[in-house]
Amino acid sequence: MQSIPVILLGAGGVGSALIKQIVANRALHAAEYGVEFTLQAVCDRDGAVITLDAGLDDPTLLDIVDYKTRKGRLAAYGQGGPQSDLVGIVDIAGRTGAIVVDCTATEATVPALLYALDRKYRVVLSNKKPLTMDQEVYDRLTRAGATGGKRSTPRQPLTRWETTCGAGLPVIVALNRLVAAGDPVTRIAGAFSGTLGFVMTGLQQGQPFSAVVREAFDLGYTEPDPRDDLGGVDVARKALILARGLGWRMELNDIEVTGLYPEAMSSLSVNEFMAALPELDDHFRTLVEAAAAGGKVLRYAATVAGGRCTVGPQAVDAGSPLGRLEGTDNLVEFHTQWYRPAPLVVQGRGAGTDATAAGVLAEMVELAAGL
Ligand SMILES: NC(=O)c1ccc[n+]([C@@H]2O[C@H](COP(=O)([O-])OP(=O)(O)OC[C@H]3O[C@@H](n4cnc5c(N)ncnc54)[C@H](OP(=O)(O)O)[C@@H]3O)[C@@H](O)[C@H]2O)c1
């Protein structure tokens, strides 16, 4: 049996779901892969639980999940303490063969991730932010461990990041396979936000923009400030990761992002913003009608093609995979030399803590078992 030390950064929705799935799948991982994950450290933003022994035991792990679900701070947890130095934690808790898992939503993990890679530890990210900083950081994160060529492939490097685009959906692996086979990708088009998918479906059904955003807000589909979804920056980060996966060298600022509200509404409070939404209803009704007149439908899409990355409301053919999409699913079309006229399509739930954690766990098993 191979023991794989794990350092988990972030114990929120995804991190907690991951802990539960590691515990629930111990028998499977032992029997099928000869692997046991031992958690050496679990960190939140200002605290950590660390052991230098053979990993935290399962009752403690499940207690940490329960504690975090009740909004506990690991700094105040029985076996825990304050932390302000993730590099130091990787240094103390890391050992040969370790996997550092980043389930935070911050760039602050980057020094610890780079330190881990310098030590030849492996890294699995559900956190997009480190991969959407400077190109140089992306290169260092994704090419560590690659040998022979400048292109990262999914096998050589020490890092995996499937769940950064479309959660558990096999988007990055599909992209990497197309690249590895030399199949030229001429265009990637995708819907990467369940929330914006919900809004677009509502618009298509004839609902006013203000009503469908209000409904998404009331159902808890949006962030507490809906502008965090409607602005499109999260989708832009995913588009950037895909473009960089094609080998393009670009920065987040190079992505042409059109949000679903005007800049002038940025300074409003959330309540004022919600109250002002009806001012946008006519604009979106016009866009939907113009698209329909041309046999198209409006989608909030990311497009990577011809050296450009655009993110925003786009009129797409009603009969295309993206045009047929309804509801909150994510969908990615890869248009390539071998996939034409119909593109290679990946579709399914693109969010959710359990599906995302399962995607992270699958990558941990792949790295641990050398798959
Ligand atoms: N949820 C999904 O469906 C989904 C899908 C795909 C990808 N993702 C990505 O996965 C990541 C985690 O998502 P989530 O839903 O689990 O978010 P979350 O519930 O907000 O959890 C984030 C965790 O990171 C911790 N954290 C924040 N700053 C930190 C720091 N400086 N050092 C150590 N820990 C820090 C937080 O600590 P506290 O507990 O102290 O706040 C929290 O435990 C995000 O990057 C998200 O974009 C999520």
Side-chain angles (χ1 to χ4, degrees), residues 41 144-145 154 205 225 280 284 299 329 334 355 362:
Q205 289 166 347
D225 184 339
L280 304 177
F284 282 103
R299 292 284 175 262
D329 267 6
F334 292 100

Side-chain angles (χ1 to χ4, degrees), residues 8-17 43-47 68 71-74 83 86 102-109 125-130 162-168 234 238 349-357 360:
L8 175 59
L9 313 181
V14 176
S16 293
C43 313
D44 64 14
R45 74 183 60 229
D46 52 14
K68 284 302 296 177
K71 306 283 175 228
R73 319 278 337 142
L74 292 181
Q83 73 85 10
L86 295 179
D102 184 352
C103 293
T104 72
T106 170
E107 297 174 352
T109 55
L125 300 143
S126 70
N127 177 14
K128 292 173 281 294
K129 291 199 172 150
E162 180 62 80
T163 55
T164 58
C165 289
D234 192 61
K238 296 176 187 178
R349 104 177 273 171
T353 54
D354 278 318
T356 307
V360 170

Side-chain angles (χ1 to χ4, degrees), residues 33-365:
Y33 304 98
V35 162
E36 178 195 32
F37 294 112
T38 62
L39 276 106
Q40 306 300 139
V42 179
C43 313
D44 64 14
R45 74 183 60 229
D46 52 14
V49 184
I50 303 174
T51 178
L52 302 182
D53 299 332
L56 298 164
D57 60 38
D58 286 353
T60 303
L61 288 170
L62 295 177
D63 191 53
I64 289 172
V65 170
D66 182 52
Y67 180 76
K68 284 302 296 177
T69 308
R70 289 184 281 109
K71 306 283 175 228
R73 319 278 337 142
L74 292 181
Y77 184 73
Q79 290 172 242
Q83 73 85 10
S84 58
D85 176 16
L86 295 179
V87 173
I89 289 176
V90 173
D91 187 40
I92 294 167
R95 54 195 70 173
T96 306
I99 300 180
V100 177
V101 182
D102 184 352
C103 293
T104 72
T106 170
E107 297 174 352
T109 55
V110 167
L113 300 176
L114 293 174
Y115 181 80
L117 293 169
D118 283 346
R119 307 282 301 257
K120 303 280 181 276
Y121 300 160
R122 281 79 58 91
V123 164
V124 178
L125 300 143
S126 70
N127 177 14
K128 292 173 281 294
K129 291 199 172 150
L131 295 176
T132 52
M133 297 169 65
D134 297 350
Q135 178 79 48
E136 187 236 338
V137 174
Y138 174 89
D139 292 344
R140 289 177 67 193
L141 287 172
T142 60
R143 291 184 185 168
T147 51
K150 65 186 172 103
R151 163 81 68 184
S152 334
T153 71
R155 263 164 218 264
Q156 294 159 318
L158 301 169
T159 310
R160 304 273 175 129
W161 59 94
E162 180 62 80
T163 55
T164 58
C165 289
L169 298 179
V171 174
I172 302 294
V173 72
L175 176 68
N176 285 340
R177 287 174 60 90
L178 294 168
V179 169
D183 184 5
V185 179
T186 50
R187 189 161 71 93
I188 303 173
F192 285 109
S193 163
T195 311
L196 297 179
F198 181 87
V199 170
M200 290 297 148
T201 303
L203 287 179
Q204 197 179 325
Q205 289 166 347
Q207 290 187 56
F209 181 71
S210 56
V212 71
V213 172
R214 166 63 69 184
E215 189 182 357
F217 181 75
D218 290 343
L219 288 169
Y221 288 177
T222 67
E223 295 292 328
D225 184 339
R227 284 168 290 195
D228 290 345
D229 298 293
L230 300 175
V233 174
D234 192 61
V235 177
R237 289 186 191 280
K238 296 176 187 178
L240 178 61
I241 291 171
L242 292 176
R244 286 177 167 175
L246 284 175
W248 296 12
R249 303 190 68 74
M250 61 193 323
E251 304 294 339
L252 195 55
N253 281 342
D254 296 325
I255 314 269
E256 300 160 45
V257 187
T258 307
L260 293 181
Y261 63 91
E263 184 58 34
M265 290 172 80
S266 302
S267 53
L268 303 178
S269 69
V270 172
N271 283 342
E272 289 167 343
F273 175 74
M274 296 303 285
L277 280 175
E279 294 168 21
L280 304 177
D281 287 349
D282 284 347
H283 169 67
F284 282 103
R285 189 176 303 115
T286 307
L287 286 184
V288 169
E289 286 170 1
K296 299 191 176 217
V297 290
L298 203 61
R299 292 284 175 262
Y300 198 87
T303 304
V304 180
R308 284 178 67 206
C309 248
T310 52
V311 168
Q314 297 174 14
V316 303
D317 285 336
S320 69
L322 205 48
R324 291 195 302 268
L325 182 68
E326 290 199 342
T328 58
D329 267 6
N330 280 195
L331 185 147
V332 192
E333 299 174 0
F334 292 100
H335 298 261
T336 79
Q337 173 175 239
W338 305 128
Y339 287 92
R340 65 176 183 183
L344 170 64
V345 177
V346 181
Q347 180 182 355
R349 104 177 273 171
T353 54
D354 278 318
T356 307
V360 170
L361 183 55
E363 295 197 301
M364 292 168 63
V365 173

